[in-house]
Amino acid sequence: MKIRDPHTSSNNQTRLVRTCCPAHNCGGRCLLVAHVSDGIITRLEADDRTYDGIDNPRLLACVRGHAYLRRQYHPDRLKYPLKRTGERGEARFQRISWEEALDTVAGEIQRVRETYGSSALFVPYGTGSYSNTNGSHLARRLFNLSGGHLGFYNNYSWACIQRATPTVYGTNITGNQRQDWLNSRYILMWGWNPAEMIDDTNSAWFIKLAREHGARVVAVDPRKTNSAVGLADEWIPIRPGTDAAMMSAMAFVMLQENLLASDFIATHCVGFDRNQMPPGCENQESYQDYLLGTLDGTPKTPVWAETITGVPRETIVHIAREYATIKPAILYQGYGMQRRAYGEQVVRAGCVLAAITGNVGISGGWASGLAFPPPLGGNRGTVFPKGENPVNTRIPVAAWTEAVLNGPNLGHADGLKGDPLKSSIKLIYAIATNALINQHMNINRSAAVLKDKSLVEFIVVQDQFLTPTARFADIVLPACTSFETWGVQDGWKYAETLLFMPKLVEPLGESRSDFRICAGIAERLGIGKEFSQGMDERQWVDWILDRYREDRFPGLPTVDEFLESNAGVFTLPIEEPAVAFTDFRHDPENNPLPTPSGKIEIFSIELLNLNQPGEIPPVPKYIQEWESPFGPEAEYYPLQVVGSHALQRVHSTHDNNDWLVEAFPQRVFLNPIDAEVRKIRDGEMVRVFNDRGEMVLPCRVTLRIMPGVVNIPQGAWWSPDQNGIDHGGSTNVLTAERLTPLAFGNAQHTIMVQIERIGKARR
Ligand SMILES: Nc1nc2c(c(=O)[nH]1)N[C@H]1C(S)=C(S)[C@@H](COP(=O)(O)OP(=O)(O)OC[C@H]3O[C@@H](n4cnc5c(=O)[nH]c(N)nc54)[C@H](O)[C@@H]3O)O[C@H]1N2
Ligand SMILES: Nc1nc2c(c(=O)[nH]1)N[C@H]1C(S)=C(S)[C@@H](COP(=O)(O)OP(=O)(O)OC[C@H]3O[C@@H](n4cnc5c(=O)[nH]c(N)nc54)[C@H](O)[C@@H]3O)O[C@H]1N2
Ligand code: SF4
Ligand SMILES: [Mo]
């Protein structure tokens, strides 16, 4: 690759340093060129390398990377440790010294551990940084080494898809490396919006290339997304939460019209029909029984699915025919449609469609499901060692409020794993997270839980800004940004790159790296040496580069070598893209899948044995959501909300970045039909509410969303007034804490609301 003189700019005063856009959970990993002058970053530019081929494409920044400078030097950056002076949530704080802050935190950790036991300590989900030396894994190491803490499993992103994919395939490594998309002839972007919801840097670009190579691309989404507009040949609006019905009807059409890959089904699958049920299950309902309505009396015809999904029957038929006959084909499942009630079903239904059309294990095809890339599964998290947690109890991550309210009574039916809890959560160390308030369900409920000091006795929040979560802290610890320390980060999902982050400038004010803060607490807990191993951030980065080099990146440079070359990134070029399940496809008997039967499980004995056929059927089914346009709730709350992942934010990160807010103001998007009956005009202020909460925000009336559905992009900061009405547009004032039945996942996109005009025109 051609590299412009890396070290200096024209005036020779400014260093130009290649680095990575700070490692938030943004969906990508991109190269930035930082201009550094007099200890200040003066400019950030995108990847300046010359494009060299699809095996090693450039890592071009999105709008958030381009606007990062504003976040870096935002006037609201936290610069000093703070102590609460008002009530929790009021955000009244006073500045204190690091000595006092760290002594207090260490003292509280010790007190709570002695009083309630280690499982009363909790480090919640927090995805603010994956730059190995910054982020919540630092606190996990601190707690693991000092006696343990309550663990969790799952994440807010992928709970259902990660649990349900292996029920079909026995693994989550079900994808192909992305270069292989160019071999596909038909791509269904199902609830997948890579042009806005970055699903690793360059995914949208690979789809664009695939289309240029002749693939037909179809988007199935209630919203006419940028992907539907810019990447697709056809947009199919579908009522949220009903995709499994459309998928079932597609399978019905294929069955009726003899379009199934029958040989592949016979040799590689179990449970499609009565002739291939697993032993002992011969009399159970097969997938074909479900499609034909043999037991429930309802054939899953396109007419049946039309009334549920809102997709015209002819469209269902034509998409079924296309997907079954244009080979090879990809059905890429986005994650938004599984962050819902019964999100497990849509995942299994999509995997089954891939299987019964024979698209598994072939180049240009796609097995669906979580689709981590082979051979190793892509990014497997940070390699900074977290240590072993001596506490063996784990809760579903989104059940933390229940563990605060009712820890000792949680059981396996609530998703608890390991020993029962002796105590509820009494101390929370919230680092690199806004998931105590903003990103967790039902904000008004969480706020009430956190306000009550008899429940959680001590809350420490470690962040760069006074976020809605930080407003509830007893102590706030100011973390520096990834530009202000040494770091290294893995790719987001497809993980062909490793990006090096040299320290560019000193931390702002008195802020410190997460590593240094946690090391300071470790010292006070008497485990300073164990925690740091006598190394600083830069030495840790060298140690981490060694691990990556041994594990996945042979030839990876050292810190000194990265500094010398100013390369910023190390890539494993992909010339022969790997395809999942090729061995199994070729010879299923000798290469069985890690499922109980060794085959693709359209019918799952594991799920049968859970004995909850209504909510966890052994074959994938459409199940009406617990809040839906077909339920009694629709009388009061007739509109479905989706809270999409918006281009301008990383969840709640960047919501205070005025450069981005100006370009992408927070609004509720609704269809003219829904606006008209409510006499709402474009740009007016509206009230959005349900039993759980209420917000006031401007609206955007647009044809780019289907009638009956509104979008409130998730992540805006909760900003309640005295009456508790949110003026920030934070989707989670409307969401419910009920978890999905199998995965115990967050169903944050299953929401019904009403909208009313307030009338004040905004512009
Ligand atoms: N710009 C940006 N990119 C991001 C992130 C971000 O915050 N901002 N976050 C990253 C992270 S951590 C994650 S986990 C991923 C999340 O990625 P996703 O969960 O896939 O993102 P969403 O935008 O929630 O959902 C994708 C699409 O699904 C649609 N959708 C919602 N419900 C349904 C449904 O029931 N059926 C169908 N067919 N479509 C539905 C939405 O309209 C949306 O266009 O994004 C990553 N990328
Ligand atoms: N309604 C609804 N809710 C959702 C979702 C949805 O689709 N709908 N999506 C869910 C998903 S997929 C996810 S992944 C979660 C994300 O939820 P979170 O993990 O809470 O992500 P963020 O909101 O980005 O908050 C990260 C915080 O880390 C801080 N931070 C950034 N860098 C650093 C650092 O280096 N050190 C420290 N200490 N702090 C740092 C940021 O300032 C920010 O406050 O949200 C979930 N919530
Ligand atoms: S995709 Fe992520 S890493 Fe890339 S520029 Fe955007 S925010 Fe930064
Ligand atoms: Mo996520």
Side-chain angles (χ1 to χ4, degrees), residues 20-22 26-30 32 60-66 198 201 650:
C20 181
C21 179
C26 63
R29 291 293 179 254
C30 306
L32 293 178
L60 287 170
C62 76
V63 291
R64 299 164 293 176
H66 282 281
I198 308 297
T201 304
V650 184

Side-chain angles (χ1 to χ4, degrees), residues 25 125 127 155-158 339 492 645 651:
N25 196 10
Y125 187 75
T127 66
N155 51 57
Y156 284 81
S157 314
W158 294 340
R339 210 173 293 112
W492 194 74
H645 284 228
H651 310 287

Side-chain angles (χ1 to χ4, degrees), residues 287-515:
Y287 193 52
Q288 182 171 298
D289 287 334
Y290 171 67
L291 298 179
L292 297 176
T294 316
L295 300 186
D296 65 11
T298 307
K300 308 304 173 300
T301 63
V303 174
W304 165 82
E306 178 184 274
T307 54
I308 296 169
T309 60
V311 181
R313 60 196 77 170
E314 313 80 58
T315 306
I316 298 174
V317 171
H318 102 81
I319 296 296
R321 288 180 185 154
E322 285 181 2
Y323 180 60
T325 57
I326 308 180
K327 297 255 174 69
I330 293 175
L331 191 169
Y332 197 113
Q333 302 184 297
Y335 321 110
M337 63 188 175
Q338 54 89 60
R339 210 173 293 112
R340 312 189 61 99
Y342 311 114
E344 297 94 351
Q345 298 309 313
V346 69
V347 174
R348 285 181 42 80
C351 293
V352 166
L353 277 183
I356 64 179
T357 54
N359 275 302
V360 177
I362 54 171
S363 170
W366 191 254
S368 296
L370 186 47
F372 284 141
L376 298 175
N379 178 353
R380 280 160 295 151
T382 48
V383 300
F384 182 83
K386 289 180 272 294
E388 289 296 314
N389 186 358
V391 173
N392 78 357
T393 313
R394 293 189 301 150
I395 55 169
V397 65
W400 68 266
T401 32
E402 316 324 302
V404 168
L405 290 167
N406 207 9
N409 290 322
L410 293 183
H412 296 306
D414 307 296
L416 183 111
K417 295 185 181 175
D419 295 338
L421 288 172
K422 293 200 183 66
S423 161
S424 295
I425 293 172
K426 291 291 172 190
L427 179 148
I428 295 181
Y429 194 128
I431 158 172
T433 182
N434 203 352
L436 288 190
I437 290 288
N438 220 75
Q439 297 310 108
H440 183 68
M441 300 83 85
N442 204 345
I443 288 180
N444 289 310
R445 179 178 188 255
S446 314
V449 167
L450 294 177
K451 264 183 197 148
D452 185 342
K453 295 194 282 286
S454 73
L455 295 171
V456 186
E457 295 177 3
F458 186 72
I459 303 174
V460 50
V461 174
Q462 186 162 318
D463 204 299
Q464 296 151 343
F465 291 96
L466 200 68
T467 62
T469 288
R471 297 169 70 94
F472 287 78
D474 298 309
I475 295 279
V476 178
L477 303 176
C480 71
T481 66
S482 320
F483 289 144
E484 296 162 349
T485 181
W486 298 86
V488 48
Q489 58 184 61
D490 206 341
W492 194 74
K493 179 177 177 185
Y494 290 93
E496 301 125 18
T497 57
L498 205 78
L499 291 112
F500 171 67
M501 302 194 75
K503 178 171 172 175
L504 298 177
V505 291
E506 288 302 318
L508 209 65
E510 290 184 5
S511 69
R512 294 181 179 175
S513 74
D514 289 324
F515 172 83

Side-chain angles (χ1 to χ4, degrees), residues 47-318:
D47 193 343
D48 59 334
R49 299 171 302 164
T50 313
Y51 169 61
D52 218 19
I54 61 161
D55 60 327
N56 181 7
R58 288 199 290 170
L59 304 169
L60 287 170
C62 76
V63 291
R64 299 164 293 176
H66 282 281
Y68 208 91
L69 199 58
R70 180 58 175 164
R71 185 172 193 275
Q72 166 70 17
Y73 292 119
H74 196 287
D76 296 345
R77 275 276 307 273
L78 289 170
K79 299 188 192 67
Y80 314 102
L82 303 172
K83 177 168 102 178
R84 180 171 58 78
T85 53
E87 288 305 309
R88 282 191 188 153
E90 284 181 357
R92 285 196 283 137
F93 293 99
Q94 87 184 36
R95 178 177 170 180
I96 55 171
S97 69
W98 270 110
E99 283 305 302
E100 181 181 348
L102 297 180
D103 285 348
T104 310
V105 174
E108 285 295 311
I109 291 174
Q110 247 156 352
R111 180 186 68 79
V112 171
R113 203 191 288 288
E114 278 158 22
T115 317
Y116 299 103
S118 291
S119 62
L121 307 168
F122 189 56
V123 182
Y125 187 75
T127 66
S129 179
Y130 286 110
S131 159
N132 278 273
T133 49
N134 262 22
S136 56
H137 42 284
L138 275 297
R140 288 183 225 294
R141 175 174 173 83
L142 173 70
F143 280 78
N144 285 342
L145 298 185
S146 63
H149 59 118
L150 172 61
F152 66 70
Y153 63 94
N154 264 357
N155 51 57
Y156 284 81
S157 314
W158 294 340
C160 286
I161 199 165
Q162 159 174 302
R163 177 69 179 85
T165 305
T167 64
V168 183
Y169 292 114
T171 172
N172 277 314
I173 303 181
T174 62
N176 306 347
Q177 285 177 322
R178 291 176 299 172
Q179 280 77 359
D180 186 59
W181 295 351
L182 273 63
N183 299 320
S184 186
R185 294 193 51 228
Y186 189 71
I187 300 175
L188 270 171
M189 299 191 293
W190 204 305
W192 188 50
N193 178 22
E196 291 167 79
M197 175 288 270
I198 308 297
D199 194 11
D200 224 335
T201 304
N202 285 324
S203 283
W205 178 73
F206 278 117
I207 296 293
K208 180 170 162 277
L209 290 184
R211 192 162 168 232
E212 284 167 11
H213 273 67
R216 182 172 147 72
V217 182
V218 175
V220 186
D221 199 301
R223 304 186 304 125
K224 192 171 187 181
T225 59
N226 284 2
S227 304
V229 174
L231 298 172
D233 298 290
E234 184 176 353
W235 169 50
I236 299 175
I238 187 165
R239 198 170 275 142
T242 67
D243 304 84
M246 173 156 167
M247 290 171 174
S248 306
M250 284 169 64
F252 180 91
V253 172
M254 293 173 197
L255 182 66
Q256 295 288 306
E257 302 189 359
N258 236 336
L259 301 176
L260 294 167
S262 305
D263 293 345
F264 182 79
I265 295 173
T267 47
H268 290 73
C269 303
V270 294
F272 183 76
D273 60 33
R274 286 282 175 110
N275 298 323
Q276 51 156 217
M277 296 300 278
C281 302
E282 289 78 6
N283 295 324
Q284 296 289 335
E285 183 184 29
S286 70
Y287 193 52
Q288 182 171 298
D289 287 334
Y290 171 67
L291 298 179
L292 297 176
T294 316
L295 300 186
D296 65 11
T298 307
K300 308 304 173 300
T301 63
V303 174
W304 165 82
E306 178 184 274
T307 54
I308 296 169
T309 60
V311 181
R313 60 196 77 170
E314 313 80 58
T315 306
I316 298 174
V317 171
H318 102 81

